[in-house]
Amino acid sequence: RRHTRSLCDWSSDVCSSDLRDGLRSSFETDIYCPIEKLWAIIGTWEDVSWVQHALDVRMLPGAGRRVIFPQNQTLEENLIYADDNETTLVYEVIKSTMPVIFYQGTIRLSAIDPQSTKVQYNNVYLPKEGLDPQQVKAGMDQSFQERFNWLQKEFDTRS
């Protein structure tokens, strides 16, 4: 179990109590891949091979990482919580081009059978001021659905 810090450490402007009004999305998919193999990748904070379009990662002080994408796009995240027994990882985005001022994601794996894993992903976020919350949610949902489709194909052990 790795517990790194509370949600409120990085910003006095946004705290977990503000998330009551945050937008939420949930995604779920089954991947034909053993849970141990999938968790060995997802549960390793230094590994971004499960992040669609990620080219590289640079570790930052504490529990941070900078994910590098094409055209020098970057995403900075902090690990909040990871538990190998629960196969659960919680992180927050601290710097990105996403249209949000706060973003927290939770990924949880559970075994369906020895060859298949259920992947559940939940997020909560606050749109940047002046943006239409429903448009932001629609864009975020579409983006994450595309990522989940990719993840399902990328880690299918039958291919």
Side-chain angles (χ1 to χ4, degrees):
R1 182 172 291 200
R2 294 162 276 168
H3 215 25
T4 59
R5 59 197 188 77
S6 77
L7 289 174
C8 299
D9 290 350
W10 70 274
S11 172
S12 59
D13 297 332
V14 177
C15 193
S16 58
S17 62
D18 293 327
L19 298 180
R20 285 189 303 262
D21 300 325
L23 299 176
R24 297 171 187 275
S25 299
S26 295
F27 304 92
E28 189 175 286
T29 192
D30 298 344
I31 299 178
Y32 194 86
C33 181
I35 191 170
E36 297 81 10
K37 182 175 181 176
L38 204 53
W39 182 249
I41 298 165
I42 292 174
T44 303
W45 190 235
E46 297 82 9
D47 189 336
V48 293
S49 63
W50 66 280
V51 179
Q52 187 182 26
H53 306 302
L55 300 175
D56 200 3
V57 63
R58 299 283 184 263
M59 300 313 295
L60 301 174
R65 71 180 181 184
R66 179 179 297 122
V67 184
I68 299 155
F69 296 94
Q71 285 90 42
N72 292 321
Q73 295 284 319
T74 61
L75 171 72
E76 291 185 14
E77 304 169 316
N78 273 321
L79 178 65
I80 296 172
Y81 174 84
D83 190 301
D84 294 333
N85 294 323
E86 296 175 7
T87 53
T88 299
L89 183 136
V90 181
Y91 68 98
E92 65 188 353
V93 173
I94 55 173
K95 187 177 179 185
S96 78
T97 59
M98 292 191 299
V100 300
I101 58 169
F102 178 83
Y103 180 94
Q104 179 184 315
T106 300
I107 189 162
R108 174 173 282 127
L109 308 182
S110 55
I112 298 169
D113 59 45
Q115 285 78 39
S116 301
T117 303
K118 181 172 294 302
V119 180
Q120 296 170 296
Y121 186 88
N122 298 299
N123 58 26
V124 58
Y125 49 93
L126 299 170
K128 289 181 179 175
E129 195 169 324
L131 297 179
D132 180 294
Q134 292 313 309
Q135 285 184 339
V136 171
K137 182 173 179 3
M140 295 285 279
D141 285 356
Q142 180 181 351
S143 174
F144 276 92
Q145 190 57 58
E146 290 170 6
R147 291 175 191 170
F148 253 65
N149 294 342
W150 173 84
L151 186 70
Q152 189 176 36
K153 291 177 194 143
E154 187 71 14
F155 289 94
D156 187 325
T157 56
R158 293 172 292 191
S159 44

